[in-house]
């Protein structure tokens, strides 16, 4: 049989198979190509002798030849010498067994030395089907050849064949070294994908992913490096766009959360205005923001300074009953959306001659009221956008929610302001004005309310003449920071004055005042220090009801903390006798009476606070400051550090 004779003479790998794919015979070249001794191949299924990646293709080849008389051809890769796979074109056909009449299959490697392109066809078809491109690199010629693939990738190399230097020059400088190392890698396995940037004259930078594999073309053919190319430019742009959208959404969420928090914590209309105008346009991508608040049925306008001031001037002082979109939104509680100047004119033909939307650029405007329909009109905010813009429904809902928060904050602020005004007026009536002239003494008083509650508290001071010519001075503190504390403070101060008119001794005054408070059972207790000073000789009689110590500051810069005798706070324990102490106030000294807010705080112990106040007072006396200047210095220091409680200061010097 001619074919079998050729089989035995062939230098190319050849094998004879049974119709069920078992190896009947093979030449030495086939055994070498399969990487096994010939005796291990005989009787084995032909497909089992191939690497796993090639097994299915080998089985399909022989299956086609077994079912028909036609010749079957298939490109397969032998394991190869030195680890480099060998791409070969195999032919399978049916032949007769020379020793009998049964049919065999002859599988052989074809000589493709004069037609290497035939080995490349399967690769080209595969990459085209996968939407990829294929380069072939010839190391000995240092040349890249474009084998085809997705048509859009042709722009990567306008010329089918190009020097490697031209290809490398189009790669981004930061990616060249990695690409070069990939091409010259000693590994014979398929490489992982490498991302690189590649520039084309026609449409600029591409984001490519490349994968490299070494192959020998033909059993005795040359070695080539194949570079599979994937263009991720569109996908990368889509990814970047999605990432940008995600980042923007996260930023929007953060901005919205910060916006909400700032609205909730705003403590004044000025702070609320600052929150809205600094955040509103930025949070929702608007070109400008306007805030309109209602004052006596007219609009008070503020802006973020990105709108024509002539338009702002036209809106400022606008009456709520005028037919404009801004006043309509505030009156009805319904948002208004105007897409452009024509839309404004169409829907508001009878509006007054407003400059809004009639000057400058043509734009869209979104107006959101700060109060719900049916509620008291509070105001609205407006955002300006490019003409034709209409915000998405979900954005409108979010803007509406924030506007509701702003309205609630405004109501709270105005209610708090009303309370503060009431508290301030009440405080002014409760604290006495010191007598203009206290014979023989120079007295100064200072008071500042707490940072909590209604800005009104229980601290007080007082100074008045006694029937015997002595001067009574007192300072005290009622528990709490509210109207009840102020009421008890007034009761205690008036009781002290009334009793002092009958009793010359401060200890007795506190004893009787305590009994009165215990009898009336107020809900608060009070601490107090009371002094009687004889201005003629400076003799001081003092007592204390649970109050902070007295400070004595001297002109040499020293001071003393004087703990006065006495008893517990007023209004708690019946039958208490308050003891007294007598000492002298020298001409070169000053007495400083304070409440605990001056010398105590979250970061300030009583000892440290007394030291600070005493040092300040002593320095003031040493510097020759009068009582007023000394009181200011002590109060300023208290307000600068840890001031949460009410503070009161009384400074006494001999005139």
């Amino acid at each position: 049989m001619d074919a079998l004779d050729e089989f035995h003479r062939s230098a190319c790998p050849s094998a004879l198979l049974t119709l069920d794919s078992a190896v009947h015979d093979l030449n030495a070249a086939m055994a070498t190509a399969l990487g096994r001794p010939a005796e291990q191949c005989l009787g084995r299924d032909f497909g089992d002798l191939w690497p796993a990646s090639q097994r299915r293709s080998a089985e399909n080849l022989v299956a086609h030849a077994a079912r028909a008389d036609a010749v079957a051809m298939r490109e397969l890769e032998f394991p190869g010498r030195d680890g480099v796979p060998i791409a070969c074109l195999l032919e399978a056909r049916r032949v007769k067994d020379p020793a009998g009449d049964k049919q065999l299959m002859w599988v052989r490697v074809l000589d493709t030395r004069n037609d290497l392109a035939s080995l490349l066809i399967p690769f080209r078809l595969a990459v085209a089907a996968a939407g990829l491109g294929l380069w072939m690199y010839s190391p000995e010629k240092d040349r890249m050849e474009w084998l085809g693939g997705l048509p859009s990738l042709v722009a990567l190399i306008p010329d089918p064949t190009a020097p490697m230097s031209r290809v490398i020059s189009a790669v981004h400088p930061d990616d060249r070294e990695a690409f070069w190392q990939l091409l010259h890698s000693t590994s014979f396995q398929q490489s992982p994908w490498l991302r690189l940037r590649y520039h084309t004259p026609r449409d600029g930078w591409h984001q490519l992913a490349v994968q490299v594999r070494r192959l020998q073309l033909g059993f005795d053919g040359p070695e080539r490096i194949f570079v599979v190319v994937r263009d991720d430019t569109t996908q990368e742009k889509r990814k970047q766009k999605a990432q940008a959208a995600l980042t923007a959404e996260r930023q929007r969420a953060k901005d919205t959360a910060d916006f909400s928090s700032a609205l909730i914590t705003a403590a004044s209309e000025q702070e609320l205005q600052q929150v809205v105008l600094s955040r509103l346009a930025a949070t929702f991508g608007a070109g400008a923001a306007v805030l309109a608040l209602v004052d006596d049925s007219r609009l008070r306008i503020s802006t973020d300074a990105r709108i024509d001031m002539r338009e702002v001037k036209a809106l400022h002082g606008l009456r709520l009953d005028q037919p404009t979109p801004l006043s309509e939104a505030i009156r009805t509680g319904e948002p208004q959306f105007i897409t452009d100047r024509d839309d404004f004119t169409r829907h508001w033909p009878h509006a007054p001659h407003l400059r809004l939307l009639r000057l400058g650029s043509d734009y869209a405007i979104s107006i959101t009221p700060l109060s719900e329909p049916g509620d008291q009109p509070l105001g609205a905010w407006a955002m300006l956008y490019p003409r034709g813009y209409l915000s998405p429904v979900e954005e409108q809902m979010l803007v509406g929610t924030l506007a509701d928060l702003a309205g609630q904050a405004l109501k709270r602020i105005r209610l708090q302001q009303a309370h503060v005004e009431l508290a301030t007026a009440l405080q002014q009536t409760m604290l006495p004005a010191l007598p203009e002239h206290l014979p023989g003494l120079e007295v100064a008083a200072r008071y500042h309310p707490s940072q909590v509650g209604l800005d009104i508290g229980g601290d007080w001071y007082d100074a008045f003449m006694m029937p015997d010519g002595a001067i009574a001075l007192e300072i005290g503190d009622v528990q709490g920071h509210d109207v009840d504390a102020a009421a008890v403070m007034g009761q205690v101060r008036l009781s002290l004055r009334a009793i002092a008119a009958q009793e010359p001794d401060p200890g007795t005054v506190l004893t009787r005042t305590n009994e009165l408070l215990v009898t009336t059972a107020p809900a608060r207790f009070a601490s107090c220090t009371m002094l009687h000073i004889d201005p003629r000789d400076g003799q001081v009689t003092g007592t204390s009801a649970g109050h902070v110590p007295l400070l004595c500051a001297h002109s040499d810069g020293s001071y003393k903390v004087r703990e006065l005798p006495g008893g517990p706070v007023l209004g708690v324990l019946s039958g208490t006798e308050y003891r007294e102490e007598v000492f002298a106030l020298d001409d070169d000294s000053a007495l400083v009476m304070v409440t605990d807010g001056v010398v105590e705080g979250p970061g300030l112990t009583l000892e440290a606070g007394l030291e600070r106040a005493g040092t300040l007072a002593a320095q003031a006396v040493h510097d020759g400051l009068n009582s007023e200047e000394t009181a200011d210095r002590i109060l300023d220091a208290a307000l600068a550090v840890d001031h949460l409680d009410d503070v009161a200061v009384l400074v006494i010097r001999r005139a």
Side-chain angles (χ1 to χ4, degrees):
M1 183 176 73
D2 293 341
L4 291 180
D5 291 341
E6 187 177 349
F7 164 75
H8 289 293
R9 295 194 306 267
S10 176
C12 290
S14 297
L16 288 175
L17 313 179
T18 63
L19 294 184
D20 58 359
S21 300
V23 177
H24 179 74
D25 197 2
L26 75 167
N27 65 6
M30 178 62 81
T32 301
L34 292 173
R36 303 167 185 269
E39 58 271 18
Q40 290 184 9
C41 299
L42 294 175
R44 296 276 303 275
D45 185 280
F46 185 66
D48 291 344
L49 301 176
W50 290 83
S53 62
Q54 301 296 306
R55 189 169 299 155
R56 188 178 185 85
S57 297
E59 291 171 347
N60 287 340
L61 173 68
V62 296
H64 277 79
R67 286 196 299 266
D69 291 333
V71 175
M73 290 187 186
R74 191 70 180 259
E75 187 272 342
L76 287 170
E77 295 177 15
F78 286 98
R81 297 178 296 274
D82 301 325
V84 180
I86 304 172
C88 294
L89 184 62
L90 274 74
E91 176 191 78
R93 66 172 66 187
R94 292 173 64 168
V95 296
K96 285 185 179 182
D97 183 355
D101 294 332
K102 66 178 182 179
Q103 292 285 317
L104 297 175
M105 284 185 292
W106 180 24
V107 179
R108 63 171 178 166
V109 173
L110 298 178
D111 186 355
T112 55
R113 284 175 293 183
N114 296 324
D115 186 20
L116 291 180
S118 63
L119 295 176
L120 304 178
I121 292 174
F123 298 112
R124 294 169 61 182
L125 293 175
V127 295
L132 304 171
L134 187 65
W135 271 323
M136 184 174 69
Y137 175 50
S138 302
E140 70 277 6
K141 298 180 181 179
D142 200 28
R143 185 181 65 188
M144 291 285 273
E145 182 179 351
W146 179 253
L147 299 183
L150 192 67
S152 62
L153 292 174
V154 174
L156 296 178
I157 301 183
D159 298 328
T161 302
M164 188 63 191
S165 59
R166 185 188 302 175
V167 176
I168 288 291
S169 67
V171 176
H172 193 282
D174 293 344
D175 300 334
R176 289 174 186 169
E177 181 62 26
F179 184 42
W180 186 261
Q181 290 182 2
L182 188 67
L183 287 174
H184 294 81
S185 171
T186 58
S187 174
F188 303 121
Q189 302 300 319
Q190 182 170 280
S191 75
W193 288 100
L194 171 69
R195 297 175 64 85
L196 58 85
R197 290 157 288 183
Y198 191 91
H199 190 271
T200 64
R202 188 177 70 180
D203 50 3
W205 287 102
H206 285 250
Q207 293 285 341
L208 301 183
V210 296
Q211 193 176 54
V212 169
R213 188 169 182 235
R214 291 174 176 267
L215 277 178
Q216 180 179 321
L217 298 180
F219 202 74
D220 295 316
E223 184 178 307
R224 295 288 182 263
I225 298 173
F226 292 88
V227 183
V228 179
V229 183
R230 188 181 71 219
D231 192 347
D232 291 342
T233 305
T234 302
Q235 179 183 350
E236 189 66 24
K237 288 180 179 178
R238 193 180 302 119
K239 179 181 177 181
Q240 291 175 358
K241 184 177 180 182
Q243 184 63 44
L246 178 61
T247 301
E249 188 60 33
R250 287 176 176 170
Q251 186 62 47
R252 167 74 66 85
K254 182 182 183 302
D255 289 346
T256 302
D258 291 345
F259 199 163
S260 302
S261 177
L263 287 173
I264 292 170
T265 57
S268 65
E269 284 197 29
Q270 189 277 331
E271 284 188 22
L272 180 68
Q273 174 181 300
Q274 175 181 320
V275 168
V276 171
L277 295 181
S278 64
R279 299 172 186 266
L280 183 60
T283 300
F284 295 102
V290 176
L291 178 64
L293 299 180
V294 177
D295 278 342
D296 295 328
S297 297
R298 289 186 177 272
L299 301 187
R300 175 162 48 88
I301 305 296
S302 55
T303 78
D304 59 2
R306 288 184 283 184
I307 183 175
D308 194 315
M309 286 306 297
R310 294 173 295 175
E311 298 183 355
V312 175
K313 185 177 180 181
L315 293 171
H316 195 72
L318 187 71
R319 296 196 316 272
L320 272 182
D321 58 0
Q322 290 186 277
T324 67
L326 186 59
S327 55
E328 177 77 8
I330 296 173
R331 275 199 320 271
T332 64
E334 297 290 344
Q336 300 289 328
F337 303 97
I338 302 165
T339 57
D340 53 31
R341 188 181 301 159
D342 293 338
D343 187 29
F344 175 82
T345 305
R346 184 165 55 253
H347 288 90
W348 302 93
H350 304 298
H353 183 65
L354 297 179
R355 295 185 181 274
L356 183 63
L357 291 170
R358 296 185 180 181
L359 278 178
S361 301
D362 191 3
Y363 47 75
I365 184 168
S366 167
I367 304 173
T368 309
L370 304 184
S371 53
E372 297 284 343
D375 289 351
Q376 177 185 1
L378 296 173
W381 65 38
M383 290 181 282
L384 276 60
Y385 295 94
R387 69 183 304 274
Y389 177 83
L390 183 61
S391 58
V393 174
E394 61 272 14
E395 182 176 292
Q396 295 176 21
M397 295 175 62
L398 181 56
V399 173
T401 300
L402 288 173
D404 288 343
L405 278 179
Q408 294 170 21
L410 184 60
K411 289 179 182 178
R412 169 181 52 79
I413 289 168
R414 288 182 171 176
L415 180 61
Q416 179 73 10
Q417 183 61 34
H419 287 170
V420 170
E421 291 174 358
L422 172 63
T424 301
L426 179 59
Q427 189 76 49
Q428 294 302 319
T429 63
M430 301 298 286
L431 286 174
L434 294 180
E436 292 185 4
H437 180 63
L438 291 171
L441 293 182
E442 179 186 294
V443 180
R446 296 292 184 270
Y447 171 82
H448 196 278
S450 71
Q451 296 179 352
V452 297
L454 291 177
D455 266 351
I456 185 171
D459 286 17
W460 87 90
Y461 55 81
D462 203 356
F464 51 89
M465 292 286 296
M466 297 287 291
D468 61 359
I471 298 172
L473 297 119
E474 63 190 57
I475 194 167
D477 181 6
V478 174
Q479 172 199 16
H481 308 99
D482 52 26
V483 175
D484 288 342
V488 174
M489 177 265 285
Q491 181 182 355
V492 173
R493 188 172 63 82
L494 292 175
S495 298
L496 288 170
R497 273 216 176 200
I499 295 171
Q502 307 297 324
E503 296 288 349
D505 300 326
T508 304
V509 174
L510 292 191
T511 297
R512 290 185 56 187
T513 302
N514 178 62
E515 291 301 322
L516 177 63
L517 292 178
V518 170
T519 302
T520 56
R524 311 296 174 98
F525 58 81
S527 65
C528 177
T529 290
M530 190 169 192
L531 306 177
H532 284 185
I533 300 179
D534 187 335
R536 293 164 297 186
D537 57 9
Q539 180 174 291
V540 182
T541 304
T543 185
S544 174
H547 201 67
V548 296
L550 189 69
L551 291 168
C552 299
H554 308 296
S555 59
D556 63 359
S558 66
Y559 71 91
K560 180 180 180 181
V561 178
R562 182 178 289 276
E563 291 270 7
L564 294 176
V569 293
L570 303 172
V572 175
L573 186 62
S574 178
T576 300
E577 296 289 336
Y578 290 86
R579 295 177 294 109
E580 300 172 346
E581 178 182 336
V582 178
F583 59 94
L585 172 60
D586 299 331
D587 291 338
D588 60 351
S589 300
L591 294 177
V592 180
M593 306 169 72
V594 298
T595 55
D596 56 3
V598 176
V599 292
E600 288 185 293
L604 190 68
T605 64
L606 176 61
E607 291 75 13
L610 287 170
E611 180 181 357
R612 182 180 68 177
T615 301
L616 288 170
Q619 186 62 47
V621 174
H622 178 269
D623 293 344
L625 302 185
N626 60 27
S627 295
E628 298 285 346
E629 294 166 329
T630 302
D632 285 335
R633 181 173 289 188
I634 296 171
L635 179 67
D636 291 344
L639 299 182
V641 182
D642 296 326
H643 166 58
L644 295 176
D645 203 354
D646 299 2
V647 294
V649 180
L650 204 59
V651 178
I652 306 105
R653 298 194 66 176
R654 294 181 67 183

